[in-house]
């Protein structure tokens, strides 16, 4: 077990995982701890489906084929283009994009490393899907986001890294077919879990804005 600050610092969005299975007991513990997340009137709206083994392989194969065919994604959550965000978030996105591009250039790996990692769904040994039954309201989305963060921190405490990504949920109809879900089960987010490999792309770290730029304390 790590202390809380070390857990926060240990969690990173890793983009390449080793071919190492995560024990089922570890996956269950991660989800069990995430269940401590608070929710509106204790609604606990989330359901969790974790794809491993043959199911995971099918998802990776189908997603790679459709991506290479140029099939546009259409996630259950509305896609938010950068132009639909306010000025400050857009500025942060631009900083991230520029920093990533500079890092990849410095490491002489090029932008292809980024695309390749997404195409394989980060070579993750376990894909976590967070599902909420329709109709989905904004508070359920907030609660499920809190659940996702608790889950990723719990994973980090177990030595397991994570990567929440649109790429993992961009073909929800295929996921409903493979995971045997019905049309009323909405897939809000996918999180890749695994043990980070030594890939150069995993060395990239994102910046954070200064606390004073986002914090106002009024007395």
């Amino acid at each position: 077990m790590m202390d809380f600050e070390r857990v926060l610092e240990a969690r990173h969005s890793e983009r390449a995982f080793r071919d190492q299975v995560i024990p089922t007991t570890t996956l269950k513990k991660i989800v069990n701890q995430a269940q401590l997340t608070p929710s509106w009137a204790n609604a606990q709206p989330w359901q969790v489906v974790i794809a491993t083994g043959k199911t995971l392989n099918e998802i990776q194969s189908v997603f790679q084929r459709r991506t290479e065919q140029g099939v546009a994604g259409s996630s259950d959550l509305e896609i938010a283009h950068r132009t639909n965000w306010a000025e400050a978030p857009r500025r942060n996105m631009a900083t991230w994009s520029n920093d990533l591009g500079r890092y990849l250039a410095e490491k002489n790996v090029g932008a292809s490393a980024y695309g390749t990692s997404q195409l394989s769904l980060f070579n993750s040994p376990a894909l976590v899907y967070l599902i909420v039954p329709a109709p989905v309201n904004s508070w359920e989305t907030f609660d499920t986001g809190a659940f996702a963060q608790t889950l990723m921190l719990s994973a980090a405490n177990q030595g397991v890294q994570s990567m929440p990504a649109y790429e993992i949920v961009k073909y929800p109809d295929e996921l409903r077919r493979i995971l045997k879900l019905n049309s009323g089960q909405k897939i809000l987010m996918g999180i890749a879990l695994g043990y980070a490999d030594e890939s150069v792309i995993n060395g990239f770290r994102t910046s954070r804005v200064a606390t004073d730029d986002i914090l106002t304390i009024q007395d």
Side-chain angles (χ1 to χ4, degrees):
M1 288 273 185
M2 293 183 263
D3 64 48
F4 185 62
E5 287 190 7
R6 288 185 60 197
V7 172
L8 284 175
E9 293 169 356
R11 201 221 71 79
H12 300 291
S13 292
E14 304 287 3
R15 294 186 172 276
F17 296 109
R18 302 199 303 265
D19 292 322
Q20 180 179 346
V21 173
I22 303 171
T24 300
T25 53
T26 300
L27 292 173
K28 287 184 176 180
K29 184 171 184 178
I30 289 169
V31 174
N32 178 256
Q33 291 184 338
Q35 287 182 271
L36 296 174
T37 304
S39 58
W40 181 291
N42 200 34
Q44 303 176 75
W46 47 75
Q47 289 287 310
V48 183
V49 176
I50 302 180
T52 62
K54 293 180 180 179
T55 300
L56 169 65
N57 292 339
E58 184 176 1
I59 292 171
Q60 289 172 322
S61 176
V62 169
F63 272 48
Q64 180 168 340
R65 183 176 67 253
R66 297 197 73 181
T67 298
E68 291 176 335
Q69 291 172 342
V71 178
S74 181
S75 59
D76 282 344
L77 279 185
E78 182 180 358
I79 299 173
H81 189 273
R82 294 188 184 191
T83 57
N84 296 329
W85 296 71
E87 180 181 354
R90 289 203 310 270
R91 187 168 57 247
N92 294 336
M93 292 177 193
T95 297
W96 170 81
S97 181
N98 292 334
D99 287 349
L100 176 60
R102 189 178 305 110
Y103 173 83
L104 294 176
E106 289 173 352
K107 297 299 181 180
N108 198 31
V109 295
S112 61
Y114 183 88
T116 300
S117 69
Q118 292 191 145
L119 190 61
S120 68
L121 300 184
F122 316 103
N123 194 41
S124 169
L127 295 176
V128 179
Y129 289 98
L130 304 184
I131 298 162
V132 172
V136 181
N137 63 59
S138 297
W139 291 105
E140 287 178 307
T141 304
F142 175 87
D143 290 344
T144 305
F147 179 89
Q149 175 68 352
T150 307
L151 184 146
M152 289 186 286
L153 290 176
S154 173
N157 197 42
Q158 306 300 319
V160 176
Q161 284 298 348
S162 55
M163 179 67 204
Y166 164 77
E167 287 295 318
I168 305 170
V169 297
K170 69 179 183 179
Y171 300 127
D173 290 343
E174 292 284 10
L175 290 174
R176 273 186 273 275
R177 176 183 64 80
I178 296 170
L179 300 177
K180 299 178 175 60
L181 305 175
N182 62 56
S183 60
Q185 292 175 286
K186 302 304 179 182
I187 305 166
L188 298 196
M189 179 49 70
I191 303 171
L193 295 181
Y195 302 100
D197 71 10
E198 301 302 318
S199 174
V200 170
I201 198 171
N202 281 339
F204 177 67
R205 294 291 179 266
T206 55
S207 61
R208 294 293 185 269
V209 300
T211 301
D212 287 344
D213 289 345
I214 66 162
L215 174 64
T216 300
I217 299 177
Q218 299 183 352
D219 58 16

